[in-house]
Amino acid sequence: VGLHSHGFWRPKALLDTARFTLSFSSRHRKNHQDSQALWKHEAVQKYLETLSKEYQQVSHQLSTDSLNDFEQRALRRRCADLSPIAAAFHEIKEAEREVQELEAMCTELDSRDEKQLLELALEEKKGLDEKMNVLCRKLFQLLVPKEKYDRSPVILEVTAGRTTGGDICQQFTKEVFEMYQNYADYKHWTFDIVNYTPAEIGGLHHAAAHISGENVYRHLKYEGGTHRVQRIPETGMSARMQRIHTGTMSVIVLPQPEEVDIKVDPKDLRIDTFRAKGAGGQHVNKTDSAVRIVHLPTGLAVECQQERSQLMNKETALRTLRAKLYQQLIEKQLSQEQSARKLQLGTRAQSERIRTYNFTQDRVTDHRISYDARNIKEILSGKEALDKLINRLLEFAEIEAVTQYLENLQALEGGG
């Protein structure tokens, strides 16, 4: 049909560039602080104009009677892809015209000193700006295809780091785990604890949970990495001296595979049973219900001790093992496809510090997007403040993916 001859609409290429790390360069942060700023970029305007014209062309060709069945099917698929993008583009253009008209009116009112009318116009402009941001975000979400695992449930693991400050890491690990537990409740997800190893002094050494619900991996995929805490311990010499300690803990987020995604040969497994310890009810330390499974070819080991039934713990441990083996497969595929780029956090680069929780300054900083949020307690409560931070990460991810795609497109066109 000749619709791809100019190379403007390449869903596969766009999908490839959507798999990126949140390593945003300072140039991108400076030029594209939000979706509306990216919308104003000349390359974006040119690209969207091209898609809009292609949509008109496809719609016109569909109205003719000279197409065979194969051509009609291909055009209908193309039309379905382009229709929401063209509609969003038109909607933003209309909103942009309204903003420009209001700005012109505000200039006239300001010169006439009609303050009351000016205030009303400025209030309306503020509402239109918010509408523009929402529409631009919607448009870029359409441009960036959903990742394969975005709708998947996850296995989330937390592990305390080491520090010279005693229990600071274990306590912080417990707080972060509870933060995600509260966030799951806030998002109406199911949060099932798989493993829980408490520290003697009230903190947490390690824990894992299976989280299921709507778009769980999409929201949590950038939480993987090293989280740093800076605080004055509540007990001990450091507390009396008001000395700040720094500690770390790591988060790993694994998309949960379906049963058909990966098979495990029972011959490759060593299964051990032992008595559960820590939180878990009256059965703790009374029966050998806890299960540890070692995958001999890779050395991967998983544990589950939360259920009374050894069989249920075994099933849960196998599910976690499949997730880890599946993750290795994902890493291998992404490494082959993107050897020159960092992989997305949450699947790799777990040692890289992604976020700092500074209790003395009551500030949380996400280093990947230079985002600061005040009120640590609100973030750790796992509700609206954390959701805002996570959505900010997702927006920057979309902006980076679109920016990278357009740069690649320009390079290809320039080279051609």
Side-chain angles (χ1 to χ4, degrees), residues 187-239:
K187 301 293 284 186
H188 304 292
W189 297 335
T190 301
F191 190 95
D192 295 319
I193 296 177
V194 174
N195 191 18
Y196 195 95
T197 308
E200 296 178 0
I201 45 184
L204 182 62
H205 282 300
H206 172 83
H210 178 263
I211 310 174
S212 58
E214 185 177 356
N215 293 321
V216 175
Y217 185 64
R218 177 175 183 267
H219 285 86
L220 295 181
K221 60 187 174 184
Y222 299 126
E223 294 302 292
T226 298
H227 295 236
R228 181 175 69 171
V229 60
Q230 294 177 316
R231 75 194 321 173
I232 298 171
E234 296 178 359
T235 59
M237 182 65 71
S238 297

Side-chain angles (χ1 to χ4, degrees), residues 80-95:
D81 285 338
L82 294 174
S83 177
I85 295 171
F89 179 59
H90 177 73
E91 197 173 3
I92 295 173
K93 281 289 189 182
E94 287 295 319

Side-chain angles (χ1 to χ4, degrees), residues 168 172 175-176 179 226-233 242-249 353-367 371-380 389:
I168 184 174
F172 181 55
E175 290 171 311
V176 170
M179 175 181 76
T226 298
H227 295 236
R228 181 175 69 171
V229 60
Q230 294 177 316
R231 75 194 321 173
I232 298 171
Q242 291 293 291
R243 181 165 157 241
I244 298 173
H245 275 247
T246 298
T248 61
M249 57 82 62
R353 184 192 69 201
I354 64 167
R355 194 175 295 156
T356 294
Y357 304 71
N358 190 317
F359 278 80
T360 57
Q361 297 179 8
D362 195 25
R363 184 183 71 239
V364 176
T365 301
D366 196 290
H367 303 289
Y371 179 85
D372 286 334
R374 297 290 175 177
N375 200 329
I376 285 183
K377 286 185 178 179
E378 283 191 14
I379 297 287
L380 290 175
L389 170 55

